[in-house]
Amino acid sequence: MVDLTQFLAGPYCTLLLADLGARVIKIEPSEGDSTRDLPPYFVKGTSAYFLSINRTKESIVIDLKRPEGRNVVLDLVRRADIVVENFRPGVLQRLGLSYEKLAEINPGIVLCSISGFGQSGPDAQMPAYDAIVQALSGILSITGVPGERPVRTGVPIGDLAGGMFGTIGLLAALCEKRLTGRGRHVDIAMLDSQIALL
């Protein structure tokens, strides 16, 4: 599996698949994944947060903005079953790594895109973090104390739900692939995932 994810929703999805036995090759930018330096806790200089959601993964550094870097990713895709990404919609296309391009070199590839609001629609380009998704989904209206301000859930449930539904979608697509031999683009919206939990 090729892991092009960052922060939480995408890395949590690939972590679940790694826990189920998948070999995960995480692609990090030249400066390393941004969560490697995320406080407050560190283990031998690396953020405990990064370690907790990237355990058992193999990391390599690739500059996706350079043709040579994209070619390495395409070589990995030729031998992979799954690619997971959680860039803002449109980024993969701009990098020349769209689902169509990936399927051209590997017709059985299953791509999972996790974003705040899905790959299309009026809000697709809106930035989304867990707190935004919690607010828009309505979960904040049922947490906290009646008559007081809304309170975020104790865990980032919007991100985690996106990762879990991404895993479920990927597993369903892999089952379909066994019957058809063809891959698929799985589109997961964190907002949809949060609403589904409600």
Side-chain angles (χ1 to χ4, degrees):
M1 172 192 323
V2 179
D3 181 347
L4 298 171
T5 68
Q6 52 197 334
F7 301 111
L8 182 53
Y12 188 64
C13 173
T14 58
L15 172 67
L16 293 173
L17 292 163
D19 285 348
L20 292 172
R23 179 182 183 200
V24 179
I25 299 174
K26 182 174 179 63
I27 309 300
E28 296 190 44
S30 303
E31 63 278 6
D33 188 291
S34 61
T35 62
R36 282 184 177 274
D37 301 317
L38 195 65
Y41 305 110
F42 291 87
V43 176
K44 296 181 181 177
T46 300
S47 169
Y49 175 88
F50 173 84
L51 294 171
S52 71
I53 58 172
N54 291 291
R55 65 180 187 268
T56 73
K57 299 177 187 178
E58 301 171 51
S59 289
I60 59 174
V61 171
I62 297 178
D63 185 348
L64 295 176
K65 295 178 183 171
R66 297 177 56 97
E68 301 87 354
R70 290 190 297 276
N71 287 337
V72 171
V73 171
L74 293 174
D75 284 341
L76 290 170
V77 168
R78 281 184 179 88
R79 298 185 299 265
D81 294 309
I82 296 171
V83 175
V84 183
E85 64 93 10
N86 65 335
F87 296 117
R88 192 177 289 185
V91 169
L92 273 191
Q93 289 78 2
R94 288 194 297 278
L95 291 171
L97 299 171
S98 66
Y99 174 70
E100 292 73 24
K101 175 67 175 177
L102 302 182
E104 183 181 301
I105 63 168
N106 180 350
I109 198 71
V110 177
L111 170 65
C112 179
S113 296
I114 303 173
S115 62
F117 305 104
Q119 296 299 299
S120 61
D123 295 327
Q125 294 301 313
M126 296 291 291
Y129 289 96
D130 182 79
I132 293 169
V133 171
Q134 284 192 39
L136 291 174
S137 70
I139 197 168
L140 292 187
S141 69
I142 60 172
T143 58
V145 178
E148 299 291 326
R149 291 177 37 193
V151 177
R152 286 180 56 198
T153 61
V155 296
I157 196 70
D159 280 309
L160 297 174
M164 287 190 294
F165 280 105
T167 300
I168 293 166
L170 282 166
L171 294 175
L174 288 174
C175 288
E176 178 185 50
K177 176 183 165 180
R178 290 182 68 190
L179 299 174
T180 67
R182 305 288 303 173
R184 155 174 308 275
H185 187 182
V186 177
D187 180 5
I188 302 294
M190 289 167 52
L191 180 63
D192 295 349
S193 301
Q194 185 67 77
I195 290 171
L197 293 183
L198 289 167

